[in-house]
Amino acid sequence: MAFPGYGAAPGGFPGAQQDPLYGYFAAVAGQDGQISSDELQRCLTSSGISGSYTPFNLETCRLMISMLDRDYSGSMGFNEFKELWGVLNQWKTLFMNYDRDRSGTVEPQELHQALTTMGYNLSHQALNCIMKRYSHNGRTGFDDFVACCIKLRALTDHFRRRDTSHTGHANFAYDDFIQVTMSL
Amino acid sequence: MAFPGYGAAPGGFPGAQQDPLYGYFAAVAGQDGQISSDELQRCLTSSGISGSYTPFNLETCRLMISMLDRDYSGSMGFNEFKELWGVLNQWKTLFMNYDRDRSGTVEPQELHQALTTMGYNLSHQALNCIMKRYSHNGRTGFDDFVACCIKLRALTDHFRRRDTSHTGHANFAYDDFIQVTMSL
């Protein structure tokens, strides 16, 4: 569809070319206008959002795409990318509040506080499982923090939908349990 | 404890030095006699078990350590490493049976068959979730296959322990659900 009078480029949409984010996106999306997980990895690494220029974890990129991939294409258009960018920046702000020594990593106690701030009410055992899984040499980097937030949010959503009586308990059939847990 | 008369090296145990695997292990384990996930990545990459010399996925290495990490140390001694090596070789044999064109990857249909051969009785939806998560450009490499096998085995074990009436249904409290799913 053309937008005569608005000057939108063929194949684009109004406003896309004025958006400063569009440059990051277009640089990696190529001709199909979609980015895959390895393209997202390059894009986020070059944007410097992780606070370092080491590559963003590819697993985290896969998780981010699956979080927003409503058409199950395994890739991401510009609108989904913009939405992701907004969420990532909220998480980045939260992460930096806890990274007081500006090392680009947070300590287990700080990860615990961040998750509590986000509203999760978890036991010490659950927090220990999470900290063990998402830390490396006892500290959690931004990309592991993002992976942790995405998984925790998705798993909590899945659980809540099955906890129909709001008792904090949910019944799963085996096949459903595997679908929920193996897709993340 | 010393083993006089058996000639065991200080800190070692009888037989370790005769084991051909010990060379791979000792080369990366360093002085503490334990390997962490990034040391395991180096070790498996240099062993060539993935069928290529591209680095073994670090997430898969973390999963492998957590699978056998009975003392929750986050690292792995030689006995655990030997056990892992045995399991990995079984999975490698199975994987190679399905990788008929010797590309080092299997197709979705072949991954489906491999999981069925391993005894998993899953719906098409569940298999699609798994294939989408553990494939890249429509194909699954050996390290993703290993990650998939470890997670599926661990999740099935957790589920079975909670399915006390053997009906294929299990009840989870939220905190328990998060512990089971976030630690993998």
Side-chain angles (χ1 to χ4, degrees):
Chain A
M1 185 179 174
F3 291 87
Y6 293 92
F13 61 90
Q17 296 201 324
Q18 283 75 51
D19 197 311
L21 261 186
Y22 193 74
Y24 286 123
F25 179 80
V28 293
Q31 294 215 332
D32 63 355
Q34 293 277 320
I35 55 180
S36 60
S37 51
D38 46 355
E39 287 170 338
L40 181 61
Q41 183 186 34
R42 284 210 304 280
C43 180
L44 292 177
T45 303
S46 70
S47 78
I49 195 171
S50 71
S52 72
Y53 288 88
T54 54
F56 218 85
N57 189 331
L58 186 60
E59 288 298 311
T60 309
C61 294
R62 283 189 190 180
L63 268 177
M64 289 189 276
I65 288 187
S66 69
M67 174 177 77
L68 294 166
D69 185 18
R70 297 188 192 95
D71 60 355
Y72 300 105
S73 64
S75 61
M76 180 180 270
F78 181 60
N79 283 331
E80 292 163 330
F81 179 73
K82 262 183 85 161
E83 187 178 338
L84 173 65
W85 190 259
V87 176
L88 272 182
N89 277 290
Q90 286 171 23
W91 284 334
K92 181 74 184 181
T93 305
L94 183 66
F95 185 84
M96 286 177 71
N97 280 343
Y98 288 102
D99 176 22
R100 294 196 187 88
D101 63 357
R102 295 286 178 265
S103 61
T105 59
V106 295
E107 289 174 19
Q109 187 56 29
E110 295 166 338
L111 176 61
H112 182 155
Q113 287 167 8
L115 296 177
T116 305
T117 301
M118 293 169 90
Y120 293 105
N121 182 14
L122 295 164
S123 69
H124 272 278
Q125 286 104 302
L127 285 161
N128 279 339
C129 285
I130 293 171
M131 290 188 282
K132 200 163 113 59
R133 169 66 183 76
Y134 292 97
S135 68
H136 196 67
N137 298 326
R139 302 191 68 102
T140 301
F142 182 62
D143 56 359
D144 271 336
F145 177 71
V146 169
C148 172
C149 291
I150 294 174
K151 276 192 75 165
L152 194 52
R153 189 167 90 163
L155 288 165
T156 300
D157 284 349
H158 283 301
F159 189 90
R160 191 179 284 132
R161 279 202 291 277
R162 285 156 184 85
D163 177 17
T164 46
S165 53
H166 309 290
T167 56
H169 287 77
N171 202 279
F172 285 83
Y174 171 67
D175 200 83
D176 180 41
F177 176 74
I178 293 298
Q179 284 184 55
V180 164
T181 55
M182 287 294 287
S183 59
L184 291 166
Chain B
M1 184 180 174
F3 292 85
Y6 291 92
F13 61 91
Q17 297 201 322
Q18 282 76 52
D19 197 309
L21 263 185
Y22 192 74
Y24 284 123
F25 179 80
V28 293
Q31 294 214 332
D32 64 355
Q34 293 278 319
I35 55 181
S36 61
S37 51
D38 47 354
E39 288 170 336
L40 181 61
Q41 183 185 35
R42 284 212 304 282
C43 179
L44 292 177
T45 303
S46 70
S47 78
I49 194 170
S50 73
S52 72
Y53 289 88
T54 54
F56 219 84
N57 189 330
L58 187 60
E59 287 297 310
T60 310
C61 294
R62 283 189 190 180
L63 269 177
M64 287 190 277
I65 287 187
S66 69
M67 173 178 78
L68 294 166
D69 185 18
R70 296 189 192 94
D71 60 356
Y72 300 105
S73 62
S75 62
M76 181 181 270
F78 181 60
N79 282 332
E80 292 163 332
F81 178 74
K82 263 183 85 162
E83 188 178 338
L84 173 66
W85 190 258
V87 176
L88 273 182
N89 277 291
Q90 285 171 24
W91 283 335
K92 181 74 184 180
T93 304
L94 183 66
F95 185 84
M96 288 178 71
N97 280 343
Y98 288 101
D99 175 22
R100 294 196 188 87
D101 64 358
R102 294 288 177 264
S103 61
T105 59
V106 295
E107 289 174 19
Q109 187 56 31
E110 295 166 338
L111 176 60
H112 183 155
Q113 287 168 9
L115 296 177
T116 304
T117 301
M118 292 167 91
Y120 293 105
N121 183 13
L122 296 163
S123 70
H124 273 278
Q125 288 104 301
L127 286 161
N128 279 339
C129 285
I130 292 172
M131 289 187 284
K132 201 163 111 56
R133 169 65 183 77
Y134 293 97
S135 68
H136 196 68
N137 298 325
R139 303 191 66 102
T140 301
F142 182 61
D143 55 0
D144 271 337
F145 177 71
V146 169
C148 172
C149 291
I150 293 174
K151 276 191 75 163
L152 195 51
R153 190 167 88 165
L155 288 164
T156 301
D157 284 349
H158 283 301
F159 188 90
R160 191 178 284 133
R161 280 202 290 276
R162 286 154 183 86
D163 177 16
T164 45
S165 52
H166 308 290
T167 57
H169 287 77
N171 202 279
F172 285 84
Y174 172 66
D175 200 83
D176 179 42
F177 177 73
I178 293 298
Q179 284 184 54
V180 163
T181 55
M182 287 294 286
S183 58
L184 289 166

